[in-house]
Amino acid sequence: MAINKKILELKKRREQVLLGGGEQAIQKQNAMGKLTARERIMALLDKESFNEYDLFVEHDARDFDMEKKTLHGDGVIIGTGTIHGKPVCIFAQDFTVAGGSLGSMHARKITKIMDHSLKMRMPLIGINDSGGARIQEGVNSLAGYGEIFFRNTLASGVIPQISVILGPCAGGAVYSPALTDFVFVVDKISKMFITGPEVIKTVLGEEISMEELGGARVHAEITGNAHFFALSEDECFQQIKKLLTFLPWSNTEKSIDVPARPPKKSFKITSIVPEDARQPYDVRDVVRSIVDDSDFLEVQELWAANMVIGFGKINGGTVGFVCNQPLVLAGVLDVDSSDKAARFIRFCDAFNIPIVTLVDLPGYLPGVDQEHAGVIRHGAKILYSYSEATVPKITVIIRKAYGGGYIAMNSRHLRADFVFAWPSAEIAVMGPEGAANIIFKKEITTAADPEKMRKQKVEEYKEKFANPYVAAAKGYIDSVIEPAETRTMLIHAIDVSLRKDISMPRKKHGIPPF
Amino acid sequence: MVTTKKTKSGTASKVDVKSPCELGSIDCKVLQIGETEYRTTLTKKFENRKFYKPADPKMILSYIPGTILKIFVKEGKKMEEGEAILILEAMKMRNIVTIPVAGKLKKIYVKEGETIPKNFLIAEVE
């Protein structure tokens, strides 16, 4: 009997806490078009798989009459559950409890689940919806943030870390997502900034709305802080689940292998690339004609679109794609596209994901703005990440591979394991026009008809050097292949690389050009 | 139609050009890299990029957004290089804006109490 009474009491206590900030606050949250923290967890995890920890945690603030207040769960829900039947750790800030503000116990719950995910080697998913530091808790609140950032860094490259921004995430709070691997944002719901519109207005006199300053679109298109953009919370959860089909659960595992499926018949690889090297095409169509089921999950689709990165399966195993996109800015390398590719390469390398690089670029984007924005430092990141990566590295040169761009895009010289080239490949020190103008300057300027001579020399150069065979003769590429052979060759290359084992010089860590 | 914008460095780069493209529905433009003209699409960031202008020491711009706290001099005053013109308060700091070259202060474009953005023309030296 006695135990039954105690069970009843437990149930009663649970019921109270499960409501978070109470009915009114929940209604307010829903009215903003947002789900509650609990609804979000349920929507994301497998049905009935959630196990909550620290349900009865209370805040420990003692100043400003805070001791009289009850904050259920201290504004954050933590626990474990499964996605695709595999365990994940999750926390969700509860905006209905004191605006999801972060106090010391709130932070301690988050760090508890972070420690758990690192120790048990499973992905961490953090749902952010918080007004920021709990001012009444002063420096204890700052300490909490610091403890979170430290753990984000510790877990980086060990377990996949996913941040979901479903509300405000401002000030220091933004640095936890920034330290994680993938940031998901939802249109009109996500807001991220270091200093908000109010501060900017009073201090600097600049007026801007929250949406324009740090809305979902801003981070998906302009800053590159976000990796996935969705129109609704539901779409966002589907994207997270999709991403997880491509990721391993930790850096000592491989991604989930699924049954191999051929690409869809509608993607005809031989007819995608136009004959004229100056005409564009969508490199994603090439990817789709290679990967299983033509299913390609693009990462950072809206930012620096001249570089395409993302995941696909080849013969059931995950592959990371890094591709120049001739459709946007002719596929040039610039500050943003270098940053985008470099970070993705490092993610793949950390998590045992083979990298396939599709090359078609005219080189680096010229311009004072690029030079002054530090394109030297940023461009160097690509060289660094490719050179440092020890996962299988496979390159397919589709068309143009000129100059520094050729070297940067996982060339043999950066220790690519396999370099293939299509017959349309042009591997040369620079574009034919430029090269001919320099090499045959004398002939052109002294000719009776310089323009005719120039054209003739450009043709001559094209004929001799704008092909894959000069590089093939040196062994810089391993095979010249037909486009239709690409998938078969990639399967072969990945199979051969299964036991790849190379060692790098001993070091504490390198110093990448940040 | 091809329009050519000359950049300050003298290199011509072709932008904002509509021209036929083999990708049906997509509105392609021309981007010149080296000596080759590529058909491609441009990004917003690229189209909105600022062309480089060398700084003119006679045009005094605000290097930080803020509020004009006090103006020390009147228009038309002959000044030595480094003399104070005004105080620009920004980020709780009082920054003294000085004249970068010796000369007559031709015009002051701000008033005391005015809040100005970054790169706002404060004053002009003759």
Side-chain angles (χ1 to χ4, degrees):
Chain A
M1 275 313 269
I3 187 71
N4 280 346
K5 205 172 152 193
K6 287 191 173 171
I7 290 171
L8 270 179
E9 194 203 333
L10 169 65
K11 282 186 174 160
K12 213 174 101 193
R13 278 174 180 258
R14 268 188 189 156
E15 260 169 45
Q16 262 178 358
V17 182
L18 285 177
L19 272 181
E23 296 283 4
Q24 242 183 337
I26 291 173
Q27 271 172 19
K28 222 170 141 189
Q29 174 88 351
N30 291 148
M32 285 189 277
K34 291 156 69 177
L35 295 175
T36 65
R38 201 164 290 280
E39 286 168 338
R40 285 166 174 166
I41 290 174
M42 299 310 158
L44 183 57
L45 299 180
D46 293 341
K47 228 178 173 180
E48 285 169 21
S49 73
F50 182 55
N51 290 301
E52 184 167 353
Y53 312 142
D54 284 357
L55 181 65
F56 298 119
V57 159
E58 257 300 325
H59 75 90
D60 64 358
R62 290 295 168 265
D63 297 313
F64 311 108
D65 283 344
M66 282 296 284
E67 67 272 20
K68 292 175 196 156
K69 272 194 182 163
T70 315
L71 300 178
H72 290 315
D74 204 16
V76 63
I77 301 171
I78 65 164
T80 52
T82 63
I83 291 180
H84 309 305
K86 295 189 75 179
V88 296
C89 283
I90 192 165
F91 71 81
Q93 292 181 308
D94 188 346
F95 199 78
T96 67
V97 179
S101 60
L102 184 137
S104 70
M105 291 310 288
H106 178 120
R108 212 176 292 175
K109 282 180 74 171
I110 293 177
T111 54
K112 183 190 250 188
I113 202 69
M114 293 177 86
D115 288 340
H116 200 65
S117 65
L118 181 57
K119 190 165 58 184
M120 307 304 182
R121 295 290 195 266
M122 53 177 142
L124 174 75
I125 301 167
I127 300 178
N128 295 264
D129 187 2
S130 163
R134 191 174 298 151
I135 307 303
Q136 293 89 337
E137 296 202 27
V139 73
N140 289 321
S141 168
L142 301 182
Y145 279 120
E147 295 286 340
I148 294 170
F149 304 156
F150 177 79
R151 282 164 177 80
N152 282 133
T153 309
L154 217 60
S156 176
V158 184
I159 50 164
Q161 298 184 83
I162 290 169
S163 294
V164 197
I165 315 301
L166 295 180
C169 180
V174 295
Y175 283 118
S176 174
L179 289 164
T180 62
D181 305 315
F182 297 102
V183 176
F184 289 75
V185 291
V186 176
D187 198 24
K188 299 196 174 72
I189 291 179
S190 315
K191 313 267 184 289
M192 295 174 87
F193 35 73
I194 300 282
T195 47
E198 294 276 309
V199 179
I200 290 180
K201 196 182 164 192
T202 47
V203 178
L204 308 172
E206 293 172 324
E207 261 187 82
I208 190 164
S209 73
M210 259 199 212
E211 199 61 38
E212 287 167 309
L213 179 65
R217 266 184 200 282
V218 169
H219 290 301
E221 286 176 10
I222 299 173
T223 67
N225 285 328
H227 299 79
F228 292 94
F229 171 85
L231 292 171
S232 68
E233 292 196 18
D234 188 56
E235 190 193 349
C236 171
F237 299 142
Q238 297 312 318
Q239 289 174 339
I240 296 169
K241 287 185 209 182
K242 175 91 185 175
L243 173 66
L244 284 172
T245 63
F246 291 102
L247 304 187
W249 250 229
S250 80
N251 65 341
T252 54
E253 287 179 46
K254 290 218 156 188
S255 60
I256 313 167
D257 266 14
V258 295
R261 294 163 74 159
K264 287 182 180 149
K265 289 220 167 59
S266 51
F267 291 95
K268 291 200 180 65
I269 198 164
T270 36
S271 56
I272 295 169
V273 179
E275 231 168 83
D276 183 349
R278 291 167 303 179
Q279 290 289 349
Y281 60 93
D282 191 341
V283 75
R284 292 171 297 188
D285 287 341
V286 178
V287 176
R288 289 187 191 106
S289 59
I290 294 171
V291 293
D292 289 12
D293 211 20
S294 298
D295 185 11
F296 176 54
L297 179 68
E298 192 174 350
V299 178
Q300 288 177 314
E301 187 183 343
L302 303 172
W303 179 62
N306 40 327
M307 180 73 80
V308 168
I309 58 171
F311 299 105
K313 296 267 184 191
I314 288 186
N315 229 17
T318 299
V319 169
F321 280 90
V322 178
C323 323
N324 308 120
Q325 171 62 292
L327 186 56
V328 181
L329 292 177
V332 290
L333 289 179
D334 57 8
V335 168
D336 287 348
S337 66
S338 299
D339 281 7
K340 178 175 171 178
R343 191 161 194 259
F344 184 72
I345 294 161
R346 298 194 92 199
F347 178 85
C348 292
D349 186 44
F351 288 97
N352 317 311
I353 297 171
I355 301 163
V356 171
T357 305
L358 303 184
V359 186
D360 187 351
L361 83 164
Y364 284 88
L365 180 64
V368 180
D369 56 330
Q370 283 292 312
E371 297 293 339
H372 286 186
V375 68
I376 295 176
R377 173 166 69 85
H378 292 277
K381 293 178 195 183
I382 295 202
L383 295 166
Y384 193 101
S385 336
Y386 270 129
S387 301
E388 166 194 58
T390 57
V391 288
K393 298 187 286 190
I394 307 152
T395 302
V396 183
I397 301 173
I398 293 179
R399 214 167 49 176
K400 305 172 302 295
Y402 299 149
Y406 154 72
I407 307 170
M409 293 306 289
N410 196 36
S411 60
R412 162 64 18 88
H413 326 296
L414 306 183
R415 300 293 178 270
D417 297 299
F418 299 89
V419 183
F420 304 123
W422 287 9
S424 47
E426 299 177 16
I427 306 162
V429 70
M430 63 197 293
E433 288 83 1
N437 279 346
I438 293 170
I439 298 170
F440 306 112
K441 193 176 175 188
K442 220 173 171 184
E443 286 94 325
I444 293 171
T445 47
T446 57
D449 185 347
E451 194 45 36
K452 196 178 151 196
M453 178 59 88
R454 204 183 67 84
K455 274 190 179 143
Q456 186 192 324
K457 290 294 178 190
V458 168
E459 277 314 307
E460 232 177 270
Y461 185 90
K462 262 191 196 165
E463 192 64 33
K464 263 193 182 154
F465 297 100
N467 62 53
Y469 301 105
V470 180
K474 284 280 181 190
Y476 296 149
I477 57 176
D478 302 305
S479 281
V480 182
I481 61 170
E482 287 179 38
E485 293 172 315
T486 308
R487 180 173 156 93
T488 321
M489 292 309 281
L490 290 179
I491 292 174
H492 162 78
I494 291 165
D495 280 348
V496 171
S497 319
L498 269 183
R499 286 164 210 85
K500 182 179 177 184
D501 184 13
I502 54 170
S503 54
M504 301 290 276
R506 271 172 57 104
K507 56 173 122 175
K508 191 174 169 194
H509 56 70
I511 302 105
F514 277 153
Chain B
M1 197 190 78
V2 174
T3 56
T4 304
K5 274 188 189 169
K6 284 265 185 205
T7 59
K8 283 283 174 186
S9 58
T11 54
S13 70
K14 295 193 170 71
V15 291
D16 300 334
V17 181
K18 281 193 185 158
S19 101
C21 160
E22 287 182 4
L23 272 163
S25 62
I26 293 166
D27 183 18
C28 274
K29 303 196 170 162
V30 167
L31 176 69
Q32 180 170 342
I33 304 282
E35 281 157 64
T36 313
E37 291 176 3
Y38 295 98
R39 306 279 184 280
T40 189
T41 61
L42 305 177
T43 58
K44 253 188 264 172
K45 187 168 179 175
F46 180 79
E47 286 187 289
N48 294 335
R49 75 197 189 284
K50 286 204 178 91
F51 287 89
Y52 176 71
K53 268 197 290 191
D56 179 355
K58 292 193 166 168
M59 306 297 247
I60 303 165
L61 307 178
S62 55
Y63 55 88
I64 192 169
T67 308
I68 306 297
L69 208 66
K70 186 158 177 55
I71 300 175
F72 301 119
V73 291
K74 288 217 166 69
E75 280 174 6
K77 196 190 170 196
K78 275 195 182 136
M79 298 176 75
E80 290 301 314
E81 179 189 329
E83 260 189 273
I85 301 172
L86 50 80
I87 295 177
L88 171 64
E89 191 184 63
M91 299 298 290
K92 294 164 193 146
M93 298 287 287
R94 293 177 175 197
N95 306 285
I96 294 173
V97 175
T98 58
I99 188 163
V101 288
K104 199 164 120 188
L105 200 62
K106 191 172 155 195
K107 191 149 178 61
I108 299 174
Y109 292 94
V110 292
K111 289 195 287 280
E112 281 181 10
E114 193 179 340
T115 302
I116 56 167
K118 193 182 163 176
N119 287 331
F120 188 85
L121 182 60
I122 298 175
E124 201 180 328
V125 186
E126 199 166 281

